[in-house]
Amino acid sequence: MRMLTITNLTFREAWRKKIFWLALGLGVAFLILFGIGFHFIFMEVTEHSRSAVENTAYANILKNEVSGVFLILGLFAVNFLIVMMSALTSVDSIAGEISSHTIQTIASKPLRRWEIVLGKLLGQTLMLAGYVIFMAGGLILEVYLLTGYQPPNILAGLGLMMLEGLIVFSITTLGGTYFSTLANGVVVFMLYGIAFAGSWVEQIGAALDSETAIQVGIIASLIMPGEAMWRLASDLMQPLLVKKTEMSLVVLFSKPSPAMVVYAGIYSAVLVGLALRQFNRRDL
Amino acid sequence: MTNLALETDHLRKEYNGKVAVKDLTLQVPEGEVFGFLGPNGAGKSTTVKMLLDLARPTSGSVKLFGQSPGDPNVRAKVGFLPEHFRFHEWLRATEFLMFHGKLYGLTAAELQKRIPELLDLVGLADSAQTHLSKFSKGMLQRIGLAQAMLNRPALIFLDEPTSGLDPLGRRLVRDIIRRLKAQGTTVFLNSHFLSEVEITCDRVAFIKAGQVVRLETIADLLNQNTELRLRVDSLNPELRQGLDRLGTEVQIEDSTVSMMVADQENIPKIAQLVYHSGAKLYELRPRQKSLEEIFVDIIEGGRQ
């Protein structure tokens, strides 16, 4: 299977260029930092609640809610890292091979061009999966070990975060078949910027009951549905009470509809399809 | 009739309206060492890319062994050393060959045998575990050459295979081409080193501004381009007419004549002619034009 040879090369590249170790090492640093910070904040909150609230059942609920909110904040940071890592590791993947001419010895071999693109994409996706499980899973495990709190819908939440990375890959893959590495980077980050800003416009618009602002946000999500996946993920993993009382920084006033997940899946598939078509017909 | 390894039919390639290859019709039979010569920008590398399906022709067609190079099964029989021998430099030499060997569909067991042989052949046996980033330009070109021979190709494209090499490296490539020829491999060679082309190629095409201006065997080409110098004591009109008949570009200065003869068989005829005219012949010196001189004549002179 020649596609898997390309996938294997993608792993080896991440390993040789020390991307693997740097991501792992700095990821561990992130988890340690979060753990220490969270531990002390949690201690402070529980101290406070013990003196303020007599009822232990209520104190427990409060602990859970505090853990939940902090976990979502931690995951928010991880989500941002997933987007950045996905973009940075894939932006050069095809564009770089074309501009450096290394593609010529590969594409002249007896394999189909789509095998090159999909082989790379498969390698990137598997590494992304590892990164999401390590970072987001690590954070959830950390909070669980420190407090016993477990957020709802973990699998669906992590799945959506992974889908966000895949959306980024589909953009950089298509961009890489048209543009240089730098231009590709500009495209993916600008699209993410649009999605990010659109998301906040939608939130604030919803809080202020502005239909137009919500529409703007939805249009932004249609242009780049990545951020919407994170909003759905955070909504799914939010502690229940916070959700009900709208007491958190991360609460959603306007939640993307589940149809947005289907849209995101189709969006990625279409972009990858267009990338295969363009890569297949362009000169190398 | 022998089978054709390579065939192009009115091949044309434009980039944004700019013509890179104008109208190229070529046929290379199996087993031939074919030289593809031309100045920079003549469209040589673009042609090679179209022959390997790396670039798509604007019009016209390419066939390798009678089939489209778009078919992976055809490319399995082909080896290619690109002009820009840029490879993944974070790989070690052995890993690099292993990777490309797998793309050819060779098994790990086959490659474990093949790779040391090839490293030895290109003189890199001592650098098997070295990262390509530590390789010199010449070493990269050698490993690229090894890469192009992994599958024991029936047709190999070498695009400027000696551009980064020192004289020893160039000799090595020359020996490898001879060896490939002995094994029956068809070699398609793009090169600026005309002395090498002269030694290794059976037939050459001169390409200028995207089309073939001359296509001939090396033997005929060199044979047709013999410069003859003769010195006699006297030149009567009869001898002059005879020289004009047997050669071209006849120039006479006192008793020295320089002229071009298209066929070496004319040289003894000229000697007889001088003898019969009664003149004394002091000097008769044929000199074959080098391929380099012929190249300059053809490229600067345009169509002949």
Side-chain angles (χ1 to χ4, degrees):
Chain A
M1 204 39 194
R2 281 156 200 176
M3 189 177 102
L4 295 181
T5 305
I6 302 285
T7 303
N8 192 306
L9 187 80
T10 313
F11 291 145
R12 201 177 285 254
E13 181 172 14
W15 182 271
R16 277 292 153 74
K17 289 186 172 170
K18 301 187 175 67
I19 294 164
F20 178 82
W21 287 109
L22 289 171
L24 184 75
L26 293 171
V28 167
F30 173 88
L31 290 175
I32 290 172
L33 201 72
F34 179 85
I36 294 171
F38 175 71
H39 173 71
F40 284 106
I41 290 167
F42 186 74
M43 292 299 275
E44 192 69 28
V45 170
T46 45
E47 272 307 301
H48 184 75
S49 66
R50 197 173 300 148
S51 53
V53 188
E54 292 299 315
N55 187 337
T56 46
Y58 184 69
N60 278 339
I61 290 170
L62 190 65
K63 273 191 226 170
N64 267 353
E65 297 305 306
V66 167
S67 305
V69 168
F70 273 93
L71 178 62
I72 292 290
L73 284 175
L75 288 175
F76 181 66
V78 167
N79 168 67
F80 182 71
L81 288 174
I82 288 169
V83 172
M84 291 295 133
M85 292 288 282
S86 303
L88 292 174
T89 54
S90 65
V91 77
D92 189 45
S93 158
I94 289 173
E97 298 259 18
I98 296 172
S99 69
S100 71
H101 303 288
T102 51
I103 196 71
Q104 291 183 357
T105 20
I106 298 174
S108 57
K109 294 286 182 305
L111 78 167
R112 301 264 177 205
R113 287 195 185 175
W114 61 260
E115 292 181 281
I116 301 172
V117 177
L118 291 189
K120 279 174 176 285
L121 199 58
L122 178 63
Q124 288 161 353
T125 304
L126 291 174
M127 286 191 281
L128 167 74
Y131 188 72
V132 171
I133 290 166
F134 171 66
M135 293 293 283
L139 216 56
I140 292 168
L141 183 68
E142 214 171 18
V143 169
Y144 175 74
L145 292 176
L146 289 169
T147 70
Y149 169 76
Q150 218 182 322
N153 308 312
I154 295 177
L155 282 181
L158 295 193
L160 285 168
M161 289 171 89
M162 229 175 267
L163 182 56
E164 179 168 18
L166 272 178
I167 292 166
V168 172
F169 285 155
S170 68
I171 294 169
T172 52
T173 302
L174 178 59
T177 61
Y178 279 101
F179 311 121
S180 69
T181 300
L182 205 56
N184 195 13
V186 168
V187 169
V188 68
F189 283 121
M190 285 310 291
L191 285 176
Y192 180 67
I194 289 170
F196 191 79
S199 155
W200 285 99
V201 168
E202 187 180 336
Q203 293 304 298
I204 296 165
L208 301 175
D209 280 328
S210 161
E211 261 310 306
T212 318
I214 294 173
Q215 299 289 329
V216 167
I218 291 171
I219 291 167
S221 293
L222 290 175
I223 294 172
M224 201 294 208
E227 184 65 13
M229 294 307 103
W230 158 247
R231 275 192 289 147
L232 269 174
S234 70
D235 182 66
L236 283 172
M237 293 192 283
Q238 195 94 252
L240 288 172
L241 204 64
V242 171
K243 226 163 146 176
K244 288 247 158 58
T245 53
E246 302 186 351
M247 276 188 334
S248 155
L249 288 168
V250 286
V251 75
L252 296 173
F253 290 99
S254 171
K255 189 175 107 177
S257 88
M260 195 51 104
V261 181
V262 178
Y263 174 76
I266 295 170
Y267 176 95
S268 306
V270 168
L271 258 56
V272 170
L274 290 173
L276 295 178
R277 195 176 76 137
Q278 168 61 10
F279 188 68
N280 191 46
R281 66 183 184 190
R282 70 161 289 164
D283 293 339
L284 298 173
Chain B
M1 193 184 140
T2 47
N3 292 328
L4 293 177
L6 183 161
E7 193 179 1
T8 71
D9 185 33
H10 298 290
L11 200 59
R12 183 180 177 88
K13 179 69 181 175
E14 293 171 16
Y15 288 107
N16 302 320
K18 202 169 159 272
V19 178
V21 173
K22 200 170 169 187
D23 179 14
L24 197 77
T25 301
L26 275 182
Q27 292 185 333
V28 179
E30 283 182 22
E32 186 172 76
V33 179
F34 187 81
F36 199 52
L37 316 178
N40 290 328
K44 301 192 301 294
S45 288
T46 305
T47 303
V48 170
K49 280 197 206 175
M50 286 191 284
L51 294 173
L52 285 154
D53 196 45
L54 290 171
R56 306 283 155 76
T58 307
S59 62
S61 69
V62 176
K63 280 194 174 129
L64 304 183
F65 303 105
Q67 283 164 297
S68 160
D71 181 353
N73 294 322
V74 174
R75 294 203 302 275
K77 293 190 255 180
V78 173
F80 174 42
L81 170 67
E83 180 188 18
H84 306 277
F85 38 100
R86 290 281 304 275
F87 312 119
H88 296 114
E89 299 198 341
W90 36 270
L91 288 172
R92 296 173 201 276
T94 310
E95 290 171 339
F96 168 76
L97 293 178
M98 191 62 94
F99 167 64
H100 284 281
K102 283 187 176 163
L103 290 184
Y104 271 125
L106 303 174
T107 64
E110 285 170 311
L111 286 166
Q112 253 140 26
K113 198 167 156 286
R114 184 82 178 126
I115 289 171
E117 283 172 12
L118 284 170
L119 285 172
D120 202 40
L121 182 65
V122 298
L124 289 173
D126 293 339
S127 309
Q129 293 307 319
T130 308
H131 283 114
L132 298 191
S133 56
K134 302 268 190 316
F135 270 27
S136 69
K137 206 175 160 196
M139 289 164 88
L140 282 173
Q141 204 153 24
R142 285 164 190 242
I143 195 84
L145 189 61
Q147 169 274 137
M149 295 188 289
L150 276 162
N151 58 334
R152 301 180 197 276
L155 168 63
I156 190 167
F157 291 92
L158 304 174
D159 197 350
E160 301 290 348
T162 54
S163 60
L165 296 177
D166 57 19
L168 286 176
R170 291 213 289 276
R171 172 170 291 200
L172 181 110
V173 170
R174 206 184 302 153
D175 291 343
I176 288 174
I177 292 174
R178 282 211 187 100
R179 208 175 144 136
L180 288 166
K181 183 179 164 58
Q183 289 163 358
T185 307
T186 311
V187 181
F188 191 95
L189 177 70
N190 266 8
S191 180
H192 278 128
F193 287 91
L194 296 170
S195 54
E196 268 160 42
V197 171
E198 191 172 332
I199 299 168
T200 50
C201 290
D202 299 321
R203 209 158 56 103
V204 288
F206 290 86
I207 173 171
K208 186 180 166 185
Q211 60 187 336
V212 173
V213 289
R214 188 94 170 251
L215 179 71
E216 215 142 2
T217 65
I218 283 280
D220 284 349
L221 203 58
L222 295 176
N223 195 12
Q224 284 163 16
N225 286 277
T226 304
E227 192 182 86
L228 196 65
R229 228 177 99 87
L230 64 158
R231 197 152 59 82
V232 290
D233 65 339
S234 66
L235 273 156
N236 61 29
E238 189 194 339
L239 178 56
R240 277 190 183 207
Q241 277 172 9
L243 292 177
D244 280 332
R245 203 174 60 243
L246 290 169
T248 53
E249 298 171 45
V250 180
Q251 285 176 341
I252 299 165
E253 206 173 301
D254 299 332
S255 56
T256 307
V257 180
S258 74
M259 60 192 287
M260 297 298 300
V261 286
D263 186 346
Q264 301 220 347
E265 289 306 312
N266 285 349
I267 298 171
K269 286 182 189 159
I270 288 168
Q272 280 175 337
L273 194 70
V274 175
Y275 175 76
H276 289 305
S277 77
K280 287 182 184 168
L281 180 60
Y282 291 96
E283 187 184 340
L284 178 67
R285 201 145 45 108
R287 190 183 71 90
Q288 275 191 347
K289 271 198 173 183
S290 70
L291 192 60
E292 188 173 309
E293 289 168 295
I294 298 168
F295 178 87
V296 172
D297 287 349
I298 291 175
I299 298 305
E300 291 193 337
R303 262 179 201 281
Q304 293 201 356

